[in-house]
Amino acid sequence: MRSYVFVIMCLFCVSNIFSQEFIIAEEYVEGSPYQPTESYPYLFEKFTKGTAYHKKDAKGNMVLNVEKFNIFLFDSKLHHINEDDGQKYECIVNDIDSVIIDYTLFIRHTNDIMLEVVVRKKENMLLKRSYVKGVYSVGVERGNTKYRVVDKEFSDKSLNVFYQYYLLIDGTIIEANKKSIEKYIGENKVNSFSKFVKLNKIKWKK
């Protein structure tokens, strides 16, 4: 049974955390020497050794994959550096559940986008998608596999990073907005939920 209590707890966290997150984001843009560019639209300044956690096999074993990873901000997907040619490629993540890069946990969501875990309370989480606009990838083939890579024609122009938030509640990922949460909790709880939002002065755009 879906827990309305969990929804309230997560929303309470969101109302207190969102302002902190944007302060951190502003400090990151203003104080950090690194900022993604058109020619390097990645979340981290360098491809960093990380661990990808795959789904368990038939015997219950979890396969680990350690490589140099990064998040491609064009579509928020996982990229790695290929050891053979040193080039950056989109990872094939059909059997990947999550990945840790530079001590940061990312959860795979629909269409293989990677969501950063911002806050975690047991199995419930506040997640964040980081992305940029106006940057495009191009298709390449290596062997029989198709990849998406950065279009090398772009310049070193700096890019602004945008964020989209999600809630993971009881194993279900939903967007952190009023419409999605009302659908999740059901029509019979919408009125009490609206009162809660008004009482706590939750601003969805923030």
Side-chain angles (χ1 to χ4, degrees):
M1 181 180 294
R2 293 175 176 174
S3 173
Y4 185 49
V5 174
F6 276 130
V7 176
I8 298 302
M9 288 175 62
C10 289
L11 284 172
F12 181 75
C13 290
V14 172
S15 63
N16 290 290
I17 291 167
F18 268 94
S19 58
Q20 298 175 16
E21 277 296 306
F22 277 95
I23 291 174
I24 292 174
E26 290 172 359
E27 290 178 350
Y28 173 79
V29 172
E30 294 176 1
S32 173
Y34 170 69
Q35 191 167 357
T37 63
E38 287 187 347
S39 59
Y40 192 83
Y42 285 97
L43 181 62
F44 297 101
E45 183 174 6
K46 298 179 180 179
F47 274 69
T48 304
K49 182 177 288 186
T51 303
Y53 293 85
H54 296 246
K55 297 177 181 178
K56 293 182 179 180
D57 60 21
K59 296 182 179 180
N61 299 315
M62 179 175 285
V63 181
L64 304 181
N65 189 27
V66 179
E67 294 187 55
K68 288 186 176 181
F69 294 114
N70 211 329
I71 303 298
F72 186 39
L73 293 172
F74 163 70
D75 50 17
S76 307
K77 292 187 176 181
L78 185 65
H79 279 204
H80 76 289
I81 292 182
N82 184 273
E83 294 182 355
D84 296 332
D85 58 17
Q87 297 298 312
K88 307 176 185 68
Y89 293 101
E90 177 185 335
C91 292
I92 307 302
V93 296
N94 296 334
D95 60 345
I96 292 179
D97 283 330
S98 60
V99 61
I100 294 179
I101 309 173
D102 194 22
Y103 305 102
T104 304
L105 175 61
F106 294 85
I107 305 294
R108 183 171 69 90
H109 187 37
T110 305
N111 296 324
D112 296 333
I113 68 172
M114 305 304 292
L115 303 179
E116 178 184 342
V117 176
V118 178
V119 176
R120 182 172 185 173
K121 292 177 71 70
K122 295 184 178 180
E123 297 303 318
N124 298 291
M125 306 176 189
L126 172 65
L127 308 172
K128 177 176 69 175
R129 177 189 178 188
S130 301
Y131 64 97
V132 295
K133 299 177 180 179
V135 176
Y136 302 93
S137 61
V138 294
V140 298
E141 291 190 13
R142 185 176 180 274
N144 296 323
T145 307
K146 294 182 179 180
Y147 296 90
R148 304 296 302 181
V149 298
V150 180
D151 189 336
K152 294 182 179 180
E153 295 182 0
F154 284 102
S155 68
D156 290 329
K157 179 182 177 181
S158 296
L159 298 170
N160 293 321
V161 181
F162 298 88
Y163 305 106
Q164 184 176 6
Y165 289 87
Y166 297 79
L167 298 173
L168 189 154
I169 307 172
D170 294 339
T172 301
I173 296 178
I174 61 175
E175 292 187 34
N177 59 54
K178 185 178 180 181
K179 183 178 180 180
S180 297
I181 295 174
E182 286 181 343
K183 182 179 179 180
Y184 177 81
I185 63 176
E187 294 182 2
N188 59 327
K189 297 179 180 177
V190 169
N191 289 334
S192 57
F193 172 67
S194 297
K195 293 178 181 179
F196 172 84
V197 171
K198 185 176 181 180
L199 179 65
N200 289 274
K201 299 180 180 180
I202 295 176
K203 305 297 182 182
W204 296 105
K205 291 184 179 180
K206 296 183 179 181

